[in-house]
Amino acid sequence: MYIHLGGEKIISSAELVAIFDISIEKSSKISKQFVTHAQKQKQVVHISEEEPKSIVVTKQTVYYSPISSATLKKRAHQFFANA
């Protein structure tokens, strides 16, 4: 099963690790450090030029998505509920 993250980006649900609201960057020092480290490793992708609403972590990449974390979690839950 695949999850549409916005724009032209679709990922395999098997690659999904976590979905966070974008506000976690400001409220959690550890998450900010995690994203900063991923940026240094060139593992961060901004899906569109729209304001990001969520951060999607996969096994290899961190995506900034214009779709809300609630919507993405519903999409992911649909897959896991049917699996």
Side-chain angles (χ1 to χ4, degrees), residues 9-49:
K9 190 64 191 165
I10 298 173
I11 62 165
S12 168
S13 55
E15 292 292 309
L16 182 64
V17 174
I19 299 170
F20 299 105
D21 188 82
I22 194 72
S23 64
I24 198 166
E25 261 191 331
K26 294 181 177 125
S27 64
S28 170
K29 184 177 179 180
I30 286 201
S31 64
K32 182 62 177 171
Q33 289 173 341
F34 173 79
V35 171
T36 300
H37 177 73
Q39 288 172 331
K40 289 178 184 175
Q41 300 296 316
K42 308 243 187 266
Q43 296 173 327
V44 174
V45 175
H46 290 265
I47 294 173
S48 78
E49 293 186 20

Side-chain angles (χ1 to χ4, degrees), residues 1 3-4 16 22 30 35-36 49 53 55 67 74 83:
M1 181 64 112
I3 302 169
H4 178 249
L16 182 64
I22 194 72
I30 286 201
V35 171
T36 300
E49 293 186 20
K53 296 179 182 171
I55 298 172
I67 298 175
K74 286 179 192 174

Side-chain angles (χ1 to χ4, degrees), residues 7-10 33 38 45 52 59 62-63 75:
E8 303 281 324
K9 190 64 191 165
I10 298 173
Q33 289 173 341
V45 175
K59 293 177 182 177
V62 175
Y63 295 98
R75 292 177 185 180

